[in-house]
C-alpha cells in the first residue's frame, strides 16, 4: 500500500504526532516525534527523533561537542527502532560532514543542506533526505513499516509531483512521471551527471558514481528520490572509480 506522511510539518512537530495516511487521506497509523534543541560547545544542533512510540530522551549537555551529542543520542536510541533527524545539516560544512555521523536522516530546506547531504553520501554513509511529503510502499499499516522505509531510504520526497513508477535494481534506475518533466541525475559530490526531459526516463549505472539520486521537476512540482549506492565495477580503472 502507498503511505504518506510529513515528518517536517511544524504542526506535527508541535503535536509530537506524525499521521501516516493511505489512499483517500485515510489515517493508517501515526509516528511519535520530538524536536530537540541541543546547544553544544561548538555549534547548535536542531534534531528530531521519530519513533513508533514515546521515548525517554537524554537531556542536553551544553559542554559537549556536537559530535558527542549526536553519538550520545544515537546510543540512547539504539535498539528502539527510532530514527534521528538532523534538522540543520548545513551547520556541518561539506569538509566537516563526517562529524555528523549518527543522524540517519537530513532535513533538506535549501541548497546548503543539500550540499552537506551530497558530501556525506560521497563518504558512503547511508543518510537519507527529508523534505515535503514522504511517500513509501508498506506491506502493513504499522508504524514499524514506515520507520523501516525511512531507515533504509525506501521512499521518495514529493512536493507537488508524485512518480507513477520508480524501478531500481543493481544495473540502474527507470522512472515514469506521467507528465512532462525534467529529471536530473545526481552522483558523487552533487555532480549533475545527466538531464532527461519527458514523461519517463532511465539511467544505466557506469560503476563510478558512488551513488545515484534523482531530482525530477515538472510544472506542477518536484520529486526527490533517495540515493542508491553503487559498487565499483570489476575491471574499472581506479581513476574512473573515483572520478565522474
Amino acid at each position: 500500500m502507498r503511505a504518506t506522511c510529513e515528518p517536517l510539518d511544524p504542526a506535527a512537530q508541535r503535536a509530537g504526532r506524525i499521521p501516516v495516511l493511505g489512499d483517500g487521506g485515510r489515517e493508517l497509523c501515526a509516528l511519535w516525534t520530538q524536536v530537540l534543541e541541543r546547544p553544544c560547545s561548538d555549534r547548535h544542533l536542531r534534531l528530531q527523533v521519530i519513533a513508533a512510540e514515546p521515548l525517554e530522551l537524554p537531556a542536553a549537555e551544553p559542554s559537549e561537542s556536537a559530535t558527542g551529542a549526536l553519538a550520545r543520542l544515537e546510543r540512547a536510541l539504539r535498539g528502539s527502532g527510532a530514527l534521528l533527524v538532523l534538522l540543520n545539516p548545513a551547520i556541518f560544512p561539506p569538509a566537516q560532514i563526517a562529524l555528523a555521523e549518527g543522524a540517519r536522516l537530513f532535513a533538506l530546506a535549501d541548497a546548503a543542506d543539500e550540499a552537506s547531504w551530497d558530501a556525506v553520501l560521497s563518504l558512503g554513509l547511508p543518510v537519507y533526505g527529508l523534505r515535503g511529503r514522504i511517500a513509501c510502499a508498506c506491506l502493513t499499516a504499522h508504524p514499524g513499516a514506515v520507520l523501516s522505509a525511512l531507515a533504509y531510504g525506501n521512499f521518495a520526497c514529493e512536493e507537488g509531483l508524485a512518480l507513477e513508477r520508480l524501478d531500481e535494481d543493481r544495473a540502474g534506475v527507470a522512472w515514469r512521471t506521467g507528465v512532462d518533466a525534467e529529471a536530473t541525475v545526481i552522483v558523487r559530490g552533487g555532480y549533475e551527471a545527466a538531464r532527461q526531459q519527458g514523461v519517463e526516463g532511465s539511467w544505466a549505472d557506469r560503476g563510478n558514481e558512488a551513488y545515484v539520486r534523482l531530482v525530477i521537476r515538472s510544472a506542477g512540482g518536484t520529486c526527490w528520490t533517495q540515493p542508491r549506492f553503487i559498487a565499483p565495477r570489476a575491471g574499472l580503472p581506479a581513476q574512473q572509480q573515483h572520478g565522474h
Side-chain angles (χ1 to χ4, degrees), residues 11-42:
Q13 291 176 333
R14 288 192 298 270
R17 184 178 187 274
I18 303 169
V20 178
L21 307 180
D23 293 335
R26 177 175 61 93
E27 184 170 316
L28 302 175
C29 61
L31 301 171
W32 176 84
T33 193
Q34 184 172 335
V35 173
L36 305 174
E37 300 288 343
R38 288 291 188 262
C40 300
S41 61
D42 54 347

Side-chain angles (χ1 to χ4, degrees), residues 200-227:
E200 61 185 5
S202 64
W203 171 265
D205 296 339
R206 300 169 181 171
N208 64 343
E209 298 95 337
Y211 63 90
V212 171
R213 64 181 183 87
L214 305 174
V215 181
I216 305 175
R217 294 182 172 88
S218 71
T222 306
C223 180
W224 291 263
T225 72
Q226 298 306 312

